[in-house]
Amino acid sequence: MACVPEPRYNADGLVPVVAQDARDGRVLMLAWMDAEAYRRTLATRQATYWSRSRQVYWVKGETSGHRQRVREVRLDCDSDAVLLRVDQVGPACHTGAPTCFEAQPAVWSDLAAGSAEGGGQASQTAAPAVTAPAEANQPAASAQPLGHAQEA
Amino acid sequence: MACVPEPRYNADGLVPVVAQDARDGRVLMLAWMDAEAYRRTLATRQATYWSRSRQVYWVKGETSGHRQRVREVRLDCDSDAVLLRVDQVGPACHTGAPTCFEAQPAVWSDLAAGSAEGGGQASQTAAPAVTAPAEANQPAASAQPLGHAQEA
């Protein structure tokens, strides 16, 4: 039987993993896997990562219930990055934000305020020149000077 | 003037960057920036990376013309990953694939064959049990045993 395609792990034995919502395309988070986490992810269809800070395997949502049911696993052109397309249960971020990239305002944006187009992150931005009206069902943009990071 | 939010760089002075198509949500690639590449990206609105293999700054598309006009820059919850939402000109991958995650078939998938839903990657998969008919304008799925990697 042919081997399952494996990532090329870095010097620490890790590969970066992008988790994307399979339904709406939002980028949920970037985390890390080692070979064992990758194997467990494929075997269980539940996204399983290696926590560099806690030095443990971490099934996403095992505590919070905010699991990621894996729908697709892809490697990039040189196999040193993984894309997981998942069904995300609840918020992806431990902060409660829908995605880890919505936990703070954008550094910069010229997209329409709160734009969710193209799998976008429908949260506040710090964009300096936002003129488009807030879209329906999106949080109102708070126009702030570039670079003023806010706690979500 | 407040400082522009900065990523937390790793021990090599680098931060992983996910580039996503701002229009359709496809994840295009994962690459790396150092502080200077990040600064240039913000200043020029053209995605600029640090090539670890060639040890040079690399404006995406400077040779191929397949540029990434930056529409939004976001940091994740602990600022150790960057999300760039971009307008991608042409294919994102040096292989000619639309995205770097479409340069080879999926490792595994249970999404509809060639599904582009949710910002998905509309290319061949190696999914073992694909039963849905091929969607219009998508390449036909080639049903293959799990793990048999193919050159795109």
Side-chain angles (χ1 to χ4, degrees), chain A residues 60 66 91-104 151-152, chain B residues 76-78:
Chain A
K60 177 66 178 170
H66 301 148
C93 189
H94 72 283
T95 64
T99 77
C100 290
F101 292 96
E102 289 173 87
Q104 32 180 331
E151 287 299 309
Chain B
D76 76 351
C77 46
D78 55 3

Side-chain angles (χ1 to χ4, degrees), chain A residues 6 21 23 25 28 40 42 58 61 77 79-80 90 103 126-127 139 146:
Chain A
E6 281 279 326
D21 191 289
R23 291 164 292 200
L28 301 172
R40 292 185 190 185
L42 284 170
W58 157 47
C77 45
S79 301
D80 65 0
L146 176 66

Side-chain angles (χ1 to χ4, degrees), chain A residues 4 7 10 25 30 46 52 67 91 96 100 107 124 127 144:
Chain A
V4 172
N10 68 14
L30 185 148
Q46 293 290 327
R52 294 176 299 168
R67 290 179 180 271
C100 290
V107 173
Q124 298 174 30
Q144 306 194 20

